[in-house]
């Protein structure tokens, strides 16, 4: 039986890998990488730095799997993501079947943590359910951008006796349309292409924002939302223009009443 590891490698800083992740890297015969083309050049470089630091000797192979195009403008968001993930599973399945021998260990390096807003676990489950390739899988946790956001801003994620809501930006937008529940005081927002927090002026929020967390390009901005949100919008636009892509997240905090 073949085994594939989903290894959480944090946000790209080689120092953020756990001991368990480092040990897992050194068991791997083949690393499977979804090739994103030029847009993924920075991530490719970070991946190489991780392997050079923690898996020296190159006793492994790297197999690139063409990443299918994803329809980000589809009106049926969930269906579009499902179609894209299923095509990824089919391509990865073919790569595993042809490139990983029986008894071999493969791996996918997952940015952040495999259990949080990442589809790798579901992709591997899909391959196992299809039964074309006899496969086992393991999940190695990693440091998520949420943990880095709190640590680098030197704040806890929750207030005393409070709860934390983690949501993508598109769902926060829906919540705003219905009106925020007064009991919601701490919200971590990820995958927010539209920067929905700009609609929360005048509601008493403090924001802790971070881009490219855990990398040399990391940028942090914090303060009362009304006072710093324009700075965040401008900084975010400049970073995107300079690098061609942006990856950011933020914590919204409202004083408890």
């Amino acid at each position: 039986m073949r085994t594939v590891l989903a290894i959480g490698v944090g946000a790209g800083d080689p120092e953020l890998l756990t001991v368990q992740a480092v040990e897992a890297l050194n068991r791997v015969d083949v690393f499977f990488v979804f090739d994103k083309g030029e847009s993924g050049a920075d991530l490719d470089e970070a991946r190489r730095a991780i392997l050079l630091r923690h898996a020296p000797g190159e006793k492994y192979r790297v197999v690139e799997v063409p990443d299918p195009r994803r329809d980000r403008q589809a009106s049926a968001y969930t269906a579009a993501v499902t179609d894209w993930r299923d095509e990824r599973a089919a391509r990865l399945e073919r790569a595993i079947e042809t490139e990983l021998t029986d008894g071999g260990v493969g791996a996918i390096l997952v940015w952040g943590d495999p259990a949080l807003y990442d589809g790798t676990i579901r992709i591997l489950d899909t391959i196992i359910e299809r039964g074309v390739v006899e496969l086992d899988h393991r999940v190695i946790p990693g440091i998520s951008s949420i943990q880095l956001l709190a640590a680098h801003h030197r704040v806890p994620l929750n207030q005393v006796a409070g709860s934390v809501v983690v949501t993508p930006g598109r769902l926060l937008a829906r919540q705003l349309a219905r009106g925020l529940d007064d009991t919601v005081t701490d919200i971590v927002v990820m995958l927010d292409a539209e920067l929905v927090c700009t609609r929360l002026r005048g509601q008493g929020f403090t924001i802790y924002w971070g881009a490219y967390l855990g990398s040399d390009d990391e940028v942090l901005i914090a303060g009362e939302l009304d006072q710093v949100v324009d700075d965040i919008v401008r900084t975010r636009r400049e970073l995107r223009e300079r690098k061609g892509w942006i990856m950011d997240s933020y914590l919204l905090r409202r004083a408890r009443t």
Side-chain angles (χ1 to χ4, degrees):
M1 178 180 291
R2 302 169 174 92
T3 299
V4 174
L5 310 176
I7 305 175
V9 294
D13 184 346
E15 295 185 357
L16 290 175
L17 269 70
T18 66
V19 173
Q20 186 181 42
V22 172
E23 291 179 349
L25 291 179
N26 286 277
R27 294 176 49 206
V28 174
D29 302 305
V30 181
F31 289 97
F32 295 97
V33 177
F34 282 107
D35 181 11
K36 298 178 180 294
E38 293 183 4
S39 64
D42 287 347
L43 298 180
D44 290 341
E45 183 60 32
R47 185 183 297 109
R48 282 192 290 270
I50 288 171
L51 293 179
L52 182 64
R53 173 77 171 270
H54 296 297
E58 297 188 4
K59 297 178 181 179
Y60 52 82
R61 291 185 298 117
V62 176
V63 173
E64 294 185 347
V65 180
D67 202 14
R69 184 176 179 180
R70 177 178 166 187
D71 184 2
R72 297 182 180 276
Q73 305 301 320
S75 56
Y77 177 85
T78 301
V81 170
T82 299
D83 290 344
W84 173 67
R85 191 180 67 227
D86 287 348
E87 179 58 28
R88 272 188 144 199
R91 295 185 183 192
L92 180 60
E93 179 184 73
R94 290 194 292 271
I96 292 172
E97 187 174 21
T98 58
E99 301 289 346
L100 188 63
T101 60
D102 188 32
V105 177
I108 301 172
L109 302 187
V110 179
W111 302 113
D113 183 271
L116 183 65
Y117 287 104
D118 183 83
T120 302
I121 297 174
R122 294 185 181 93
I123 288 172
L124 293 174
D125 286 342
T126 298
I127 294 173
I128 291 170
E129 289 169 3
R130 282 168 49 85
V132 175
V133 178
E134 189 176 8
L135 184 68
D136 191 13
H137 65 322
R138 297 285 186 274
V139 178
I140 312 298
I143 302 297
S144 72
S145 62
I146 294 177
Q147 293 166 285
L148 287 181
L149 181 70
H152 290 186
H153 276 293
R154 296 174 292 182
V155 296
L157 280 173
N158 66 293
Q159 298 185 63
V160 175
S163 60
V164 179
V165 173
V166 181
T167 180
R170 62 184 180 84
L171 294 185
L172 179 61
R174 295 180 189 175
Q175 293 168 349
L176 289 175
R178 297 193 299 266
L180 282 177
D181 190 323
D182 288 340
T183 63
V184 175
T185 58
D186 294 277
I187 310 170
V188 175
V189 186
M190 306 178 69
L191 307 173
D192 186 4
E194 299 182 6
L195 210 59
V196 177
C197 63
T198 56
R199 308 179 200 175
L200 289 171
R201 302 173 196 262
Q203 297 193 37
F205 279 101
T206 297
I207 187 169
Y208 300 91
W209 176 84
Y212 311 120
L213 290 160
S215 75
D216 292 338
D217 297 316
E218 178 177 285
V219 179
L220 302 172
I221 298 175
E224 294 182 15
L225 177 69
D226 295 2
Q227 296 180 5
V228 303
V229 69
D230 290 336
D231 187 24
I232 291 173
V233 171
R234 182 183 66 256
T235 300
R236 193 175 190 271
R237 181 178 61 250
E238 292 172 353
L239 292 172
R240 180 189 288 275
E241 291 173 354
R242 188 178 75 201
K243 290 183 68 68
W245 60 279
I246 186 78
M247 185 67 73
D248 59 339
S249 56
Y250 55 90
L251 168 65
L252 293 170
R253 172 157 293 163
R254 184 164 51 184
R256 301 195 68 182
T257 58

